[in-house]
Amino acid sequence: RRSSDLLSALLEPRTTLSTATHILVRNYAEAIEAARLGYRSIKVKVGINEHWVEELMDIARIRATLPNIEIRVDANQAWDAELAYGFSIAAYAFNISWVEEPCRSYTEHKLLLQKLEGVRHVKFGVDESLSQEEGEFERILADSSVSVVTLKPMFVGGLIRCAQLAIEAKEAGKQVCITHALGS
């Protein structure tokens, strides 16, 4: 069975839930291999280089070669608002589905949103900033700037708790991505 079918069965055995899986890629060659293996969605890590221009050029190559693949981007809280703004504006040309954790802090994220006022083409996701602190998940669900919530069962209290949080996030209008940290 496909991994997306296994995930659906794990979360709800009687489900008709359709899931899309992505694979983490580090560069153009890995993206091409992922597409060859049948993946229709990839997640590219950015924020590793001193500046994002080289990483964006790799994304441009991926988009040019694989025009129909979904590209998700994870910056792992690499940037301040200024660098995140530049990346977000430039990434728009390459039809990025979402940018996960672009800013180092929630304060920087809010500054980024101010800079992007009126430019609502970029979806943002949270992952690392999702903590177990009281009220944190509710604050994120109430934040209209967050479109995607990435949940890692091992960090949120296991599979059942993860499923509960996923339902809450969906009810709040958020897209949900369930992943693991084994490849990180």
Side-chain angles (χ1 to χ4, degrees):
R1 295 171 74 173
R2 291 188 9 220
S3 61
S4 61
D5 295 334
L6 290 173
L7 178 61
S8 294
L10 181 63
L11 293 175
E12 175 52 61
R14 297 173 306 277
T15 189
T16 57
L17 175 70
S18 173
T19 61
T21 60
H22 67 241
I23 187 169
L24 181 64
V25 299
R26 292 175 293 190
N27 55 42
Y28 175 78
E30 288 183 8
I32 299 303
E33 180 62 15
R36 189 187 68 69
L37 292 172
Y39 283 92
R40 300 284 176 251
S41 181
I42 60 172
K43 183 175 182 179
V44 181
K45 291 283 187 176
V46 295
I48 298 164
N49 296 330
E50 187 173 333
H51 198 278
W52 48 257
V53 172
E54 288 177 35
E55 295 163 334
L56 194 62
M57 291 181 71
D58 217 24
I59 290 170
R61 280 183 67 202
I62 293 167
R63 176 55 70 220
T65 306
L66 304 169
N68 297 319
I69 202 160
E70 180 185 23
I71 301 175
R72 303 167 178 177
V73 175
D74 187 352
N76 286 104
Q77 300 177 330
W79 303 313
D80 60 19
E82 192 68 33
L83 285 173
Y85 173 77
F87 179 86
S88 298
I89 294 297
Y92 178 68
F94 304 108
N95 193 24
I96 304 297
S97 292
W98 76 72
V99 180
E100 190 174 292
E101 298 284 356
C103 295
R104 293 183 182 122
S105 69
Y106 191 69
T107 302
E108 289 290 325
H109 178 73
K110 287 300 182 187
L111 289 171
L112 170 62
L113 294 177
Q114 288 172 0
K115 294 177 80 51
L116 286 169
E117 182 106 23
V119 185
R120 287 287 180 205
H121 61 271
V122 180
K123 285 184 176 179
F124 293 106
V126 296
D127 182 356
E128 288 83 11
S129 64
L130 238 151
S131 70
Q132 299 269 354
E133 291 180 32
E134 187 71 32
E136 179 69 10
F137 191 69
E138 291 76 17
R139 180 187 64 78
I140 287 169
L141 293 185
D143 187 339
S144 63
S145 70
V146 175
S147 301
V148 182
V149 176
T150 296
L151 301 169
K152 293 178 178 152
M154 68 193 79
F155 295 150
V156 298
L159 286 172
I160 293 173
R161 180 68 180 137
C162 183
Q164 291 168 336
L165 293 174
I167 290 168
E168 288 178 42
K170 289 298 282 181
E171 288 174 351
K174 309 299 182 193
Q175 187 172 348
V176 176
C177 179
I178 300 173
T179 188
H180 58 79
L182 299 177
S184 304

